[in-house]
Amino acid sequence: MLPLVKFCTRAVNKIMGLIPNDVINRVIERSDIVEIIGNYTALKKAGRNFKALCPFHNEKTPSFVVNPDKQIFHCFGCGVGGNVVGFLMRQEHLEFPEAVRLLANKAGVVVPEGESDTPSPSRQLREAILKVNALAAAFFHEGLVTHREADVKTARDYLKGRGVNLETVKKFQLGFAPNEWDALLKYLKSKSISEELMQKAGLIIAREGKSGYYDRFRNRIMFPIFDIQNRPLAFGARALKDDDGAKYINSPETVVYTKGQHMFGLQLTKTAVGKSDRMIVVEGYMDMIMPYIHGVENIAASLGTALTVDQIRLIRRYTRNVLMLFDTDAAGQSAIERSLITLVEEGMNVRMVTLDKDKDPDAFIRSSGIDAFEKRIDQAESFFDFRLNWYKAKYDIKTSEGMSQFFHKMKETIALSGDPMIQAHWAKQFKEKFKVSERLMLEQLNQFIKEERTLSNVPRVALETRKGEELLLALFLKDPAWVKAAQEKAIGPEDFSDGLIHTVVEAMWTLEAESGEWSTNDLLTRLNDESARSLVARLISVEEGQLGDTARVFQDCIGSIYKKKQRETRSQLMEAIRQAEAEGDAEKLDQLKEQFNQLLKT
Ligand SMILES: [Zn+2]
């Protein structure tokens, strides 16, 4: 038992920046969350709690609650929550160990120096790459702003022609990679950077069949990609000439850069996004920069084909309202499709902005002006209307086949939202829009309404499952005795189908295995994901009375997990039976059918 505990604690300390657990706990114990948060927003006493206007989203009536007994905060408006460390991480954009050190200073707790201050090798590499990237960004930027060669002039003229002035160049740290094989390489060498590190940062490429390296980016306009803490993670590079390979090339994935985890420009616009409570999402660098120059400040670019779940979660830190503005060319179409589906599944409110055919925001603003652009933003279509018009144009609804495809797609669309209220609203809209007397249409519509009734059960089950899992988690947080009770019933993290809940339960199970005694703060310290910490804070904030008869709630939740398990086993067995039948494997079939009968009996 002991060695395991030691190992785990050490592993966790590594993640936390090597601050020992007992020091972290002492820092949290000695810090008063009311006092710390009171420095940032005016707290008013409300019963046992304190209320305030949320510092993380724009609101007129306070929905931000600080609970001094449990030492946590939670915003019922934007959903953010956690303990005092989590608050500082978000408010001051700090990493976990940085936030702990800041609090330690205030509370007069000494964080041990020496071994515990040496960052882990992977952290050292991350920091080294960020430093090399910063040097490279400065080198490219300097080159664009000060050099006078013909190539640089072409780059400057290109930007000038698009209305990108010096101020913007500085804000985005735009740069120019010289038309040479080793300009950056030489520069970084002069700064004592090793070739190995340059390669790990994705800045140079090894020569084929020969020794040595060459610059990845040559004769290109450079767009550094920053994270929300303004650290340069990677580069995008635009060719100056049409015949110079791909129009855009990018840094490869590195230790600090994973594609699809960041939004271009968000480090500059996150405050505006939070304040306006909506974000315009575009595809490319110039699509983001052009509207920004003209005063559209709540915008960021996805830099990929479709929005990923990671990106959506990043956006959700600032707002739930997304306006998608993507190219509607053939390649863009499927990207929008996928993005919209993920957005709706992640519970975001999404609307679509369409510009003229074959025009990206950059081209649109240049030809029609910023006023026309903002008008299009205001005219954004709802997700539902967008799909309706899209499929109406895509399928020939005068033919019965086209009509059937159209209805099928619209049923799918309605089913995407897990929220029955939204489903009902969409279904109603659909019926209203299709008041057509043609018989074909009516038949289809009736069929649709019939199917809609059965269909709407599917997401409802999913919603109820999530609610059940949340209730169970709320019980676990209220009293760890329920954790033990669940473990006795052979419930494990894998039984929770909601990703976030799964993460939290897994951390609880680990804490329980390490030592039976752990606090909410231990749990919050353990969770790396802010969404997971917010979930915990929200569930802790649930009033005692709201949980009702806890023993009964526990029984019901466990019961529904058992039922879900059974359903899954049953459908797996049925699938196996189908396969055995197809393969004509009589022996296996008998065996499976026997198993199936056993299952039905239990
Ligand atoms: Zn809030």
Side-chain angles (χ1 to χ4, degrees):
M1 183 71 191
L2 257 180
L4 178 73
V5 173
K6 264 196 178 152
F7 169 76
C8 287
T9 316
R10 219 180 301 138
V12 167
N13 279 342
K14 237 179 200 172
I15 302 163
M16 301 309 169
L18 292 155
I19 302 175
N21 259 344
D22 56 326
V23 177
I24 296 173
N25 286 339
R26 213 174 316 138
V27 170
I28 294 173
E29 272 164 26
R30 294 222 192 143
S31 306
D32 180 14
I33 195 168
V34 176
E35 188 196 322
I36 300 285
I37 294 183
N39 291 330
Y40 298 94
T41 180
L43 292 170
K44 280 212 185 79
K45 191 109 175 83
R48 296 173 71 101
N49 295 336
F50 289 85
K51 270 195 158 186
L53 289 174
C54 178
F56 304 122
H57 86 279
N58 197 16
E59 61 175 6
K60 292 200 178 70
T61 46
S63 43
F64 182 88
V65 177
V66 180
N67 181 330
D69 298 336
K70 308 236 164 82
Q71 287 286 308
I72 55 157
F73 73 96
H74 174 70
C75 174
F76 288 92
C78 64
V80 180
N83 62 4
V84 65
V85 183
F87 178 85
L88 276 184
M89 283 167 73
R90 194 183 170 94
Q91 178 70 35
E92 298 282 357
H93 306 292
L94 300 174
E95 296 283 349
F96 181 87
E98 295 165 343
V100 172
R101 275 170 208 279
L102 185 73
L103 281 172
N105 258 337
K106 283 189 181 159
V109 176
V110 179
V111 177
E113 303 283 333
E115 195 212 8
S116 61
D117 254 5
T118 319
S120 63
S122 69
R123 202 185 147 86
Q124 279 175 338
L125 179 63
R126 279 180 64 90
E127 278 168 9
I129 289 181
L130 288 172
K131 221 175 98 188
V132 176
N133 281 349
L135 281 172
F139 172 78
F140 294 138
H141 181 63
E142 183 76 10
L144 179 68
V145 176
T146 61
H147 288 203
R148 291 283 165 255
E149 290 86 358
D151 293 331
V152 191
K153 195 176 173 304
T154 316
R156 268 202 299 265
D157 287 347
Y158 167 83
L159 290 169
K160 221 180 273 167
R162 276 173 161 54
V164 181
N165 61 15
L166 185 64
E167 190 196 344
T168 311
V169 166
K170 283 187 174 160
K171 241 182 194 159
F172 287 89
Q173 268 211 61
L174 301 187
F176 179 71
N179 195 11
E180 288 163 42
W181 289 98
D182 58 359
L184 180 68
L185 192 96
K186 272 191 200 150
Y187 172 76
L188 290 177
K189 258 190 189 163
S190 79
K191 296 277 166 191
S192 315
I193 305 293
S194 72
E195 286 175 337
E196 190 197 348
L197 194 56
M198 294 181 215
Q199 194 190 19
K200 280 187 177 153
L203 293 166
I204 57 171
I205 300 171
R207 283 177 204 276
E208 248 175 78
K210 278 186 251 172
S211 67
Y213 297 88
Y214 61 95
D215 285 2
R216 178 184 297 273
F217 305 110
R218 300 174 312 279
N219 202 24
R220 282 172 183 265
I221 296 176
M222 302 300 294
F223 297 85
I225 301 164
F226 295 91
D227 67 5
I228 50 165
Q229 292 169 53
N230 214 19
R231 295 178 299 195
L233 305 180
F235 294 90
R238 189 191 193 285
L240 277 188
K241 287 181 285 181
D242 287 341
D243 56 354
D244 207 0
K247 189 169 162 194
Y248 280 96
I249 57 172
N250 296 302
S251 295
E253 295 209 340
T254 63
V255 175
V256 300
Y257 178 64
T258 310
K259 256 171 122 183
Q261 283 194 343
H262 307 277
M263 300 288 294
F264 176 77
L266 189 57
Q267 82 278 7
L268 295 172
T269 58
K270 60 188 180 193
T271 314
V273 168
K275 280 209 173 119
S276 66
D277 196 14
R278 65 181 194 176
M279 184 198 269
I280 302 164
V281 176
V282 290
E283 264 181 297
Y285 306 99
M286 290 307 287
D287 298 337
M288 187 269 158
I289 293 176
M290 282 302 283
Y292 182 80
I293 293 174
H294 289 92
V296 179
E297 288 190 333
N298 50 351
I299 188 167
S302 66
L303 294 184
T305 43
L307 275 178
T308 65
V309 172
D310 284 333
Q311 284 174 320
I312 293 169
R313 289 194 172 167
L314 180 64
I315 297 170
R316 201 159 52 195
R317 290 196 199 173
Y318 304 97
T319 183
R320 276 186 178 271
N321 304 308
V322 169
L323 292 149
M324 291 292 286
L325 205 171
F326 271 44
D327 279 359
T328 41
D329 60 12
Q333 276 188 13
S334 65
I336 299 178
E337 275 287 295
R338 270 176 291 147
S339 300
L340 289 180
I341 289 171
T342 325
L343 280 162
V344 172
E345 282 174 347
E346 286 289 307
M348 305 286 276
N349 304 317
V350 48
R351 290 196 294 154
M352 274 300 300
V353 182
T354 33
L355 302 175
D356 297 343
K357 211 174 175 329
D358 300 329
K359 276 216 174 120
D360 54 28
D362 177 19
F364 184 87
I365 289 174
R366 271 184 291 133
S367 66
S368 309
I370 188 67
D371 291 342
F373 179 81
E374 281 180 337
K375 206 168 159 198
R376 292 293 172 94
I377 299 285
D378 291 335
Q379 291 167 343
E381 282 176 302
S382 73
F383 168 71
F384 184 77
D385 282 342
F386 171 75
R387 295 271 285 212
L388 189 79
N389 294 330
W390 182 293
Y391 291 124
K392 220 165 66 184
K394 183 168 178 181
Y395 300 110
D396 180 5
I397 58 172
K398 286 193 204 80
T399 68
S400 70
E401 195 195 341
M403 178 57 94
S404 133
Q405 281 169 322
F406 171 64
F407 273 93
H408 178 71
K409 281 293 175 190
M410 289 318 291
K411 280 181 288 185
E412 246 180 35
T413 302
I414 293 175
L416 271 179
S417 171
D419 186 339
M421 297 277 282
I422 293 175
Q423 284 188 345
H425 176 68
W426 284 350
K428 194 167 153 242
Q429 273 194 329
F430 188 71
K431 280 174 239 166
E432 277 166 9
K433 286 205 171 129
F434 277 83
K435 273 184 212 144
V436 197
S437 56
E438 287 162 42
R439 237 177 81 209
L440 172 72
M441 191 77 109
L442 280 174
E443 271 170 22
Q444 283 273 357
L445 195 55
N446 282 332
Q447 177 64 23
F448 167 73
I449 293 165
K450 226 191 280 166
E451 280 180 38
E452 177 209 331
R453 269 187 216 120
T454 42
L455 187 90
S456 57
N457 285 332
V458 180
R460 200 165 291 151
V461 169
L463 200 72
E464 271 158 20
T465 306
R466 198 188 306 160
K467 263 193 201 144
E469 291 180 358
E470 252 184 30
L471 268 177
L472 200 50
L473 183 56
L475 285 184
F476 292 164
L477 288 165
K478 195 165 172 263
D479 185 351
W482 291 116
V483 174
K484 292 195 178 77
Q487 287 179 339
E488 275 162 20
K489 303 248 175 215
I491 300 289
E494 67 284 353
D495 294 321
F496 294 80
S497 50
D498 181 274
L500 271 187
I501 299 177
H502 178 105
T503 307
V504 177
V505 173
E506 204 165 36
M508 280 179 158
W509 257 237
T510 313
L511 283 166
E512 191 67 33
E514 282 173 23
S515 80
E517 299 225 344
W518 49 272
S519 67
T520 318
N521 266 318
D522 293 328
L523 179 67
L524 288 170
T525 300
R526 189 61 66 102
L527 294 167
N528 285 325
D529 182 343
E530 194 189 27
S531 310
R533 292 195 297 267
S534 298
L535 173 69
V536 169
R538 175 163 67 82
L539 292 179
I540 293 175
S541 309
V542 169
E543 299 286 327
E544 303 256 323
Q546 273 173 272
L547 282 175
D549 178 353
T550 46
R552 188 135 166 240
V553 171
F554 181 77
Q555 282 304 337
D556 287 353
C557 292
I558 299 285
S560 76
I561 286 182
Y562 277 151
K563 255 188 225 153
K564 197 187 80 194
K565 267 188 178 175
Q566 226 171 26
R567 265 202 310 273
E568 278 163 9
T569 322
R570 202 188 307 161
S571 64
Q572 276 164 8
L573 266 175
M574 267 156 71
E575 183 52 40
I577 288 173
R578 234 171 276 145
Q579 209 173 342
E581 267 171 353
E583 287 163 2
D585 189 338
E587 197 183 330
K588 197 171 171 193
L589 196 61
D590 280 346
Q591 215 182 337
L592 288 168
K593 278 185 176 162
E594 176 56 31
Q595 273 184 42
F596 194 77
N597 286 333
Q598 282 297 329
L599 187 73
L600 287 183
K601 272 181 214 155
T602 51

